[in-house]
Amino acid sequence: LLVNLGIFDADERPNHYLINQYLPDEGILPHQDGPKYLPKVAIISLNEQCVFTFYKYIPSSSTESRAGQPPLCSLLLRPNSLLVFSGDAYTECLHGIAPDSVHRIDSESTGVVINKETTGAISGDQVSRSENRTSLTIRFVQWARA
């Protein structure tokens, strides 16, 4: 389906599927996906909503501090939503989810939530996470050939 929708090319058809389940107060530390992945990912969020945040990537060789780094922006992921990101969002940013059972829209910790209009959220809203969240991460991996 993701190939038919034009999200992935037929010659880079997804071949890696990862299912994770998170408790209401669990998150994902800001990170970048590894170099073996095509610089594109599709994430389907199930069961529960959360705020997904992007941060500026700072190389380990940099003298710039990562401590207290403000978010670049965030997205509200509603249940049954599909998030696809690639390009600079994939290669130049870290992404993560705060380990909180309540996320606040447009707060210091989330930065500006850029999809408020399409999700029906407004600045200051509290996004409660009371159920487990399941995510399905879909990617193309460039497997090593023997």
Side-chain angles (χ1 to χ4, degrees):
L1 179 63
L2 295 177
V3 172
N4 292 342
L5 291 171
I7 294 170
F8 286 93
D9 294 331
D11 60 340
E12 293 173 335
R13 178 179 306 276
N15 61 3
H16 184 264
Y17 307 90
L18 181 62
I19 300 171
N20 283 307
Q21 188 170 61
Y22 302 94
L23 297 173
D25 60 352
E26 286 184 318
I28 306 166
L29 290 173
H31 68 281
Q32 266 190 327
D33 295 337
K36 293 283 186 189
Y37 300 116
L38 181 75
K40 179 184 288 187
V41 64
I43 301 170
I44 299 172
S45 291
L46 303 171
N47 306 335
E48 186 61 281
Q49 59 191 350
C50 70
V51 175
F52 188 93
T53 304
F54 288 96
Y55 300 88
K56 177 183 170 189
Y57 172 71
I58 300 172
S60 58
S61 60
S62 174
T63 58
E64 190 175 352
S65 174
R66 288 178 197 81
Q69 180 190 58
L72 293 173
C73 67
S74 292
L75 294 161
L76 174 56
L77 303 183
R78 296 280 194 199
N80 306 317
S81 63
L82 170 65
L83 167 64
V84 178
F85 63 97
S86 61
D88 286 350
Y90 191 94
T91 59
E92 302 299 319
C93 297
L94 302 177
H95 56 274
I97 298 171
D100 302 318
S101 59
V102 176
H103 294 169
R104 185 177 301 280
I105 301 297
D106 295 345
S107 69
E108 190 175 309
S109 64
T110 64
V112 175
V113 174
I114 60 174
N115 66 336
K116 289 187 294 286
E117 187 174 319
T118 58
T119 60
I122 59 172
S123 191
D125 276 355
Q126 289 190 26
V127 176
S128 295
R129 298 177 58 203
S130 59
E131 296 183 29
N132 290 349
R133 175 179 172 265
T134 302
S135 70
L136 174 58
T137 303
I138 305 164
R139 298 182 270 223
F140 173 77
V141 180
Q142 302 171 47
W143 300 106
R145 307 253 181 212

